[in-house]
Amino acid sequence: SRRKRARARHKPCELRELEVSVSELGLGYESDETVLFRYCSGTCEAAVRSYDLSLKSMRSRRKIRKEKIRARPCCRPLAYDDDVSFLDAYNRYYTVNELSAKECGCV
Amino acid sequence: GMDPATTSKSNHCLDAAKACNLNDNCKRLRSGYISTCSRELSATEPCSRRKCHKALRQFFDRVPGEFTFRLLFCSCKDPACAERRRQTIVPACSYESKDKPNCLDLRGACRADHLCRSRLADFHTNCQATFQSLTSCPGDNFQACLGSYAGLIGFDITPNYVDASTTSITISPWCSCKGSGNMEEECEKFLRDFTENPCLRNAIQAFGNGTDVNLAPKN
């Protein structure tokens, strides 16, 4: 239902996971091996800091104008998972690092 | 989970890799040996075999058989699957070398290491072909034979599938009996314990077919 979807969208920042094939990662590897892709998702409303409020205020007072700034926290990985290795369709092994999130936070 | 639909892309060896990748411990230690065994050192040295063997021993020592056996002994109907099975131990680094040593020299090198010596003794005990049981294995114990086989990986005597054949499974350490002199017969006998061993072959096939109830991971 729509209400359920709305609630799901407003979950706080947390780690989620998907089972995907290596080819689906879009990194240019051709392999049917399945890996666990963990990512960060959710809102950061509860993590607004005095920093963010003040930054917004500076912007509205036009004390900051041309710079690219972000006045709200963002749900991102704080740490990344261990390396992942796989055999590709041409029987070559590859190892990819920092593929998956291990811990998420509002930064 | 259930078996995925039988498409050309799915095979038991690919399923085994998936099961390992979805388990944090298996994934970590598998990546550990794969990255070590496929790391090129220089133009003359494709990898550090010593480090590769160590990482392989850690994988087979620390990851439960429900994952490692599935990777090693998955059953195959097509060559792509069988090649994946052959590639499990990263043979270019852990198995093959420029020249093939004599099998008795290799056995001597193994016996000089106390752990390799005891693992080889286990293999001979648990995979010794016998006419006294239906399965050709001592006490019909497939699991003991497969465990002893896996226990040899990462030592001088590391065994592997010799090719990607789906119809006949041939296992061998990387050695031959050329240059055995008057020990030729002894050498052939030692080599046949790998290449023509009905107990080992039956144990691998039973695992792949899921006919060994104690071993087949049913989830």
Side-chain angles (χ1 to χ4, degrees), chain A residues 95, chain B residues 31-40 47-48 51-52 55 93:
Chain A
T95 301
Chain B
S31 291
Y33 82 74
I34 289 174
S35 59
T36 305
C37 298
S38 52
R39 188 177 301 135
E40 199 172 306
C47 70
S48 162
K51 287 183 180 167
C52 170
C93 181

Side-chain angles (χ1 to χ4, degrees), chain B residues 135-156:
Chain B
T135 59
S136 303
C137 283
D140 292 322
N141 191 343
F142 283 152
Q143 184 151 16
C145 175
L146 296 181
S148 315
Y149 173 90
L152 292 177
I153 296 169
F155 291 95
D156 286 323

Side-chain angles (χ1 to χ4, degrees), chain A residues 18-19 22 31-36 38 81-89 91 93-95 100, chain B residues 9 14 17-18 21-22 24 27-28 30-35 38 80 83-84 87-91:
Chain A
L18 277 177
E19 287 178 21
V22 169
S31 172
D32 293 326
E33 255 188 60
T34 305
V35 293
L36 198 60
R38 293 195 175 101
D81 219 343
D82 301 316
D83 294 353
V84 183
S85 297
F86 55 86
L87 187 70
D88 80 354
N91 294 308
Y93 276 112
Y94 290 97
T95 301
S100 238
Chain B
K9 281 184 174 182
L14 205 49
K18 174 178 175 177
N21 284 344
L22 298 185
D24 281 328
K27 185 195 78 174
R28 188 171 55 82
R30 177 173 181 247
S31 291
Y33 82 74
I34 289 174
S35 59
S38 52
E83 179 57 20
R84 171 173 278 277
Q87 290 285 348
T88 302
I89 63 167
V90 198

Side-chain angles (χ1 to χ4, degrees), chain B residues 105-157:
Chain B
D105 290 347
L106 205 61
R107 186 179 69 175
C110 176
R111 284 179 173 175
D113 173 59
H114 75 281
L115 199 51
C116 187
R117 184 193 181 95
S118 88
R119 295 286 178 92
L120 187 58
D122 285 347
F123 173 78
H124 283 305
T125 306
N126 295 319
C127 296
Q128 192 64 257
T130 169
F131 297 109
Q132 284 154 3
S133 69
L134 276 172
T135 59
S136 303
C137 283
D140 292 322
N141 191 343
F142 283 152
Q143 184 151 16
C145 175
L146 296 181
S148 315
Y149 173 90
L152 292 177
I153 296 169
F155 291 95
D156 286 323
I157 206 81

